[in-house]
Amino acid sequence: MRTVQSIERAFGLLEELAGEPAGITELARRSDLPTSTVARLLGTLEGVGAIERIADGTGYRIGPTLVTLSSSVDPSQSLLAVAQPFMVELVDLVAEAVGISIPAGYDVHYVEQVDCAHPVQVRDWTGTSLPMHIVSAGLVVLAQWPEEAIERYLGRRLERYTPDTVIRPEAVRRRLEQARSDGYIWTEEEFAEGINSVAAPLFGSGGVVVGSIHAHGPSYRFPDDAMRDVIAEQVVASAAAISAALGHGQEA
Amino acid sequence: MRTVQSIERAFGLLEELAGEPAGITELARRSDLPTSTVARLLGTLEGVGAIERIADGTGYRIGPTLVTLSSSVDPSQSLLAVAQPFMVELVDLVAEAVGISIPAGYDVHYVEQVDCAHPVQVRDWTGTSLPMHIVSAGLVVLAQWPEEAIERYLGRRLERYTPDTVIRPEAVRRRLEQARSDGYIWTEEEFAEGINSVAAPLFGSGGVVVGSIHAHGPSYRFPDDAMRDVIAEQVVASAAAISAALGHGQEA
DNA sequence: AGCGTGTTTCCCACATTGTGGGAACCTGGG
DNA sequence: CCCAGGTTCCCACAATGTGGGAAACACGCT
């Protein structure tokens, strides 16, 4: 036995439903399965939240679970594919680890990192989430949010991670302005002692922020003071290139 | 038998993966299933595209199929649930059909309509898509896009639907400005002769446009000249209420 | 009301299908 | 080269999912 029939069938049904909501009998006809089987499969799918009953009684449609499942990785998906080559390129330029992250609620989620050759380097944060105000990758994203959203963010208690973490709302606000005008931002030992990073925002199809790209390294060598601006510009340039690559190709 | 075990397990695994990509053994540990079973389930899920292998060999993550499945219904989903009551309310106020639409590439897609009591009324456009520049529902959305995106839109050939359709890029631009400052826009027989409509944009969690709400009626009676501004304000108010309802509640 | 069509839900015997133990097989490190 | 950690394959077993059909609903018609 290689594949699981019931799962394949279930996804067949999901695809039908994605095209157009429908009831048991109709799906049974379309997918050429006995109604009782379809009923059972749909029942299970409903149980896990993959589909839900349409309000006025008859029929099912794609449900919240699927949305959650996909959204949790979705943005990174296309992002990763597109960004990968640019990340590698950027690593060569700045000679430090480069990462990509996406917004996830009030956090940013690190989805990928390309390491540099240095024997001493920042560990791979892929898979972790951190509050936006403590990391460059988060600040540049936050900076792109509409005013009310920022308001909400800053209205909550802002956690401190190190002595250098900036948590005064007005101070954070100033940094956001800075990020907007510069197109990038530096954080220095605000999340963890010994790590500095620069980040620039990534924009997707509609012009909305979909995440950010950053370079980070040990604070004893990064950034080299002379290179500070150059590095930032390189990150910004990579970000722009990725955004351009994402830019078009909208879909419903 | 009530539910299908393999499907439940499969979705359990998907949820694990959504949280964080992982390999077979790790998932087996976490979900407390035999590795061979996990391997088989993942194999099937990969077959249907629900997950995919992570580039550098080891591990799986959520795949394209799930994204497709959810995106096909997602935007309308939460929107519809939230918007429904407001739509009904608005119908009462303006005494004409009210609809909701979402952006889909360069088109807007009509996802729902609540009809009014009039024996003569606009047909239900639910399910159809139209270019943004010819309908109020599209213009208000377009108006919220970032400049470069608008640029791209207007750079293409703009189709004419009726003699009154505005297709000169500069003219459209002026209307977009108007839409931004007023918060709504009227279109009069630009898409189909005999139909006028007003629309206002809907904003979602991040403050991004997620669609629009509009009222439309036969041009011989809609809008009543004296009511023109009142109606527009009512649409705007409904839009604001819906946006507020969508507004918060972010999630990863 | 009463009927009829088109649903969905429930039940149950059957064997197909999925299961899981374990062995073989890769792969990367030391 | 060997060892650990992971993945793929195999196979006997029966638990699991299957599907036919009947029962319970839900409407729309007359």
Side-chain angles (χ1 to χ4, degrees), chain A residues 194-227:
Chain A
I195 301 183
N196 293 344
S197 71
V198 223
L202 301 173
F203 299 96
S205 43
V208 288
V209 234
V210 295
S212 60
I213 183 170
H214 66 273
H216 55 193
S219 44
Y220 71 82
R221 67 166 188 238
F222 184 77
D224 178 336
D225 274 344
M227 299 292 284

Side-chain angles (χ1 to χ4, degrees), chain B:
Chain B
M1 172 111 327
R2 290 214 47 73
T3 60
V4 179
Q5 182 193 61
S6 46
I7 294 178
E8 281 173 344
R9 288 175 166 183
F11 273 89
L13 293 177
L14 286 176
E15 249 147 50
E16 293 284 352
L17 282 179
E20 177 171 23
I24 292 178
T25 323
E26 188 180 346
L27 283 175
R29 244 199 320 273
R30 279 200 256 162
S31 57
D32 202 35
L33 292 171
T35 60
S36 48
T37 300
V38 172
R40 183 160 14 83
L41 292 174
L42 289 185
T44 308
L45 288 174
E46 185 184 9
V48 299
I51 61 175
E52 61 185 8
R53 282 204 139 69
I54 260 170
D56 54 341
T58 255
Y60 291 87
R61 66 166 165 226
I62 301 299
T65 297
L66 284 187
V67 177
T68 312
L69 285 178
S70 69
S71 70
S72 70
V73 198
D74 168 20
S76 46
Q77 211 72 348
S78 44
L79 231 185
L80 274 186
V82 174
Q84 192 71 30
F86 296 96
M87 294 175 73
V88 174
E89 192 182 74
L90 186 55
V91 167
D92 284 344
L93 291 173
V94 301
E96 288 292 350
V98 166
I100 292 266
S101 46
I102 59 171
Y106 285 143
D107 293 340
V108 279
H109 188 73
Y110 290 84
V111 295
E112 185 66 319
Q113 173 163 329
V114 175
D115 290 323
C116 62
H118 274 295
V120 174
Q121 58 177 15
V122 177
R123 68 161 264 226
D124 190 340
W125 293 99
T126 301
T128 58
S129 292
L130 293 171
M132 293 198 177
H133 67 284
I134 66 163
V135 283
S136 59
L139 287 166
V140 290
V141 169
L142 189 54
Q144 300 300 324
W145 283 13
E147 185 49 34
E148 318 85 67
I150 294 178
E151 193 70 45
R152 278 202 300 279
Y153 186 98
L154 297 178
R156 305 166 319 127
R157 220 183 79 63
L158 301 184
E159 213 173 334
R160 172 186 294 291
Y161 274 65
T162 75
D164 288 344
T165 307
V166 176
I167 57 171
R168 283 204 7 263
E170 317 88 74
V172 175
R173 250 211 178 77
R174 266 196 302 281
R175 304 190 75 191
L176 296 181
E177 272 161 36
Q178 189 72 30
R180 270 190 293 266
S181 62
D182 292 348
Y184 65 85
I185 201 166
W186 283 94
T187 48
E188 315 205 334
E189 315 207 38
E190 296 173 39
F191 150 57
E193 305 193 30
I195 301 182
N196 293 344
S197 71
V198 225
L202 301 173
F203 300 96
S205 43
V208 288
V209 234
V210 295
S212 59
I213 183 171
H214 65 272
H216 54 195
S219 44
Y220 72 82
R221 67 168 187 238
F222 184 77
D224 178 333
D225 274 345
M227 298 292 283
R228 200 184 163 88
D229 292 351
V230 177
I231 292 170
E233 287 312 324
Q234 284 166 333
V235 171
V236 170
S238 293
I242 295 172
S243 296
L246 294 170
H248 310 251
Q250 291 226 4
E251 215 359 356

Side-chain angles (χ1 to χ4, degrees), chain A residues 112-125:
Chain A
E112 186 65 318
Q113 173 163 328
V114 174
D115 289 324
C116 62
H118 274 294
V120 174
Q121 57 177 16
V122 178
R123 70 159 263 227
D124 190 340
W125 293 98

Side-chain angles (χ1 to χ4, degrees), chain A residues 12 21 24 32 130 142 147 188 213:
Chain A
I24 293 179
D32 203 35
L130 293 171
L142 189 54
E147 186 48 34
E188 314 206 334
I213 183 170

